[in-house]
Amino acid sequence: MTQLPEVEVARKSLEREIVGKRIKSVEVKTTALVRHHRNRPELYRALDGRKIDAVSRRGTALLLDLDDDCTFVLLMGEHSWIASETASASPGRSVQMVTTFTTGGALHYHDVTKTGAMLVLADTELASVPELTPGGVDPLADTFTWQAFNQKLVEWARPLRNVLTDFQVLVGLGDTYADEVLWTAGLSGARPSQRLSAQEVRRLYRSVLEVLHEAVKQGGATEAEAEGDEEESDPFINVYRRAGQACRRCRTPIRHEKIGGELSYFCPACQT
Ligand SMILES: [Zn+2]
């Protein structure tokens, strides 16, 4: 799943690279990705010659604010990412959209599972897109307080691992970061979310912030890691895809088993 830190990293780099640029051309490979429009030309017409004024993020969606009171929305798929390229770079197999700019450069949108979507909407219509109004809190936003988090943990009353990946609780934590957060907090994913002590809730809350901010600072998990190359995991990743390797806290081998109903990576000794 495309997770929050990687989308936030993409937002920051797009902010530097494409704000102020004017769109020269757009090409989408798979029609299903423009399902919110009648056809691809309708999307192309809405984007033709438009200047990008700002780039923002709502959950795991990227919003490119255009100069005509419309927004180009990119809903990330199960496994998507965005890369800046030169205008002449040939798109790889996973590239589903190429946008070029009048002043040079291009944007390649990769979508391995073709589950993402792209659409242009009037700014006033943004609230009507369900994907842009998730029920959960954005853990990188100011609205993420430990009190609000505690309330969700009590209400949800399910194993922790399960609650952390639920978008109705938190937006953008997938398998990688849920495992990392639980390891950092020293908590087992099997623990019922409603039975944590106040101290444990605070520890979990701080771990969510620490893990996500560090991931953003490090530029997100690399694609090699995201695509399952066990040898190339990032140094800031402590448990995810490290089965059999020594826990960095207590040297116990990391396990990869179902916990709280979810297949996850954890240390059986220091996560309790
Ligand atoms: Zn350990």
Side-chain angles (χ1 to χ4, degrees):
M1 193 191 78
T2 304
Q3 299 176 77
L4 203 58
E6 287 72 37
V7 182
E8 176 62 11
V9 169
R11 183 197 67 76
K12 286 182 165 195
S13 76
L14 292 185
E15 199 164 52
R16 280 192 309 271
E17 291 158 7
I18 67 167
V19 168
K21 287 194 171 184
R22 207 170 273 285
I23 294 171
K24 184 179 171 190
S25 69
V26 180
E27 226 179 302
V28 178
K29 195 152 101 185
T30 305
T31 318
L33 270 71
V34 292
R35 57 188 171 274
H36 296 79
H37 290 277
R38 269 199 299 270
N39 49 35
R40 281 176 283 191
E42 188 181 276
L43 176 84
Y44 299 164
R45 274 195 302 276
L47 290 168
D48 187 38
R50 298 269 66 94
K51 191 168 80 117
I52 292 158
D53 281 342
V55 180
S56 59
R57 178 181 66 72
R58 273 201 209 173
T60 56
L62 283 168
L63 274 60
L64 278 53
D65 185 24
L66 305 172
D67 61 348
D68 62 349
D69 297 324
C70 287
T71 299
F72 182 22
V73 180
L74 272 169
L75 300 171
M76 307 299 271
E78 281 288 308
H79 185 187
S80 336
W81 67 99
I82 282 180
S84 283
E85 305 282 354
T86 58
S88 57
S90 73
R93 266 182 36 166
S94 58
V95 172
Q96 284 296 329
M97 179 192 66
V98 174
T99 301
T100 63
F101 301 97
T102 54
T103 47
L107 213 59
H108 287 191
Y109 166 74
H110 296 254
D111 190 339
V112 177
T113 54
K114 298 175 202 162
T115 42
M118 49 204 66
L119 59 153
V120 176
L121 279 175
D123 295 343
T124 50
E125 292 171 332
L126 288 174
S128 67
V129 182
E131 291 94 332
L132 297 179
T133 49
V137 178
D138 186 322
L140 292 176
D142 297 340
T143 45
F144 180 53
T145 62
W146 89 269
Q147 290 91 339
F149 185 45
N150 183 43
Q151 199 183 338
K152 289 275 192 186
L153 293 173
V154 173
E155 279 171 15
W156 249 242
R158 291 206 311 262
L160 274 184
R161 178 57 166 73
N162 199 259
V163 173
L164 286 181
T165 52
D166 192 322
F167 272 35
Q168 295 300 316
V169 179
L170 291 179
V171 177
L173 253 71
D175 292 335
T176 312
Y177 294 106
D179 287 349
E180 292 301 311
V181 164
L182 287 167
W183 182 86
T184 304
L187 291 169
S188 160
R191 292 278 298 277
S193 66
Q194 75 279 24
R195 295 212 199 107
L196 299 185
S197 68
Q199 198 188 11
E200 286 169 332
V201 173
R202 280 174 188 272
R203 210 161 75 211
L204 185 62
Y205 170 76
R206 276 198 306 269
S207 302
V208 171
L209 290 176
E210 194 184 309
V211 166
L212 295 184
H213 283 287
E214 182 61 17
V216 172
K217 201 170 121 194
Q218 300 292 335
T222 58
E223 276 316 309
E225 193 274 333
E227 283 179 353
D229 186 343
E230 308 240 348
E231 301 305 309
E232 291 293 321
S233 82
D234 297 280
F236 65 94
I237 296 290
N238 287 300
V239 275
Y240 191 70
R241 289 195 170 133
R242 292 192 68 241
Q245 297 183 46
C247 169
R248 289 185 180 145
R249 202 158 41 208
C250 74
R251 314 306 297 163
T252 306
I254 298 297
R255 283 204 196 148
H256 186 212
E257 289 167 17
K258 266 198 172 179
I259 195 154
E262 312 273 339
L263 196 55
S264 46
Y265 294 87
F266 62 95
C267 172
C270 66
Q271 288 182 244
T272 54

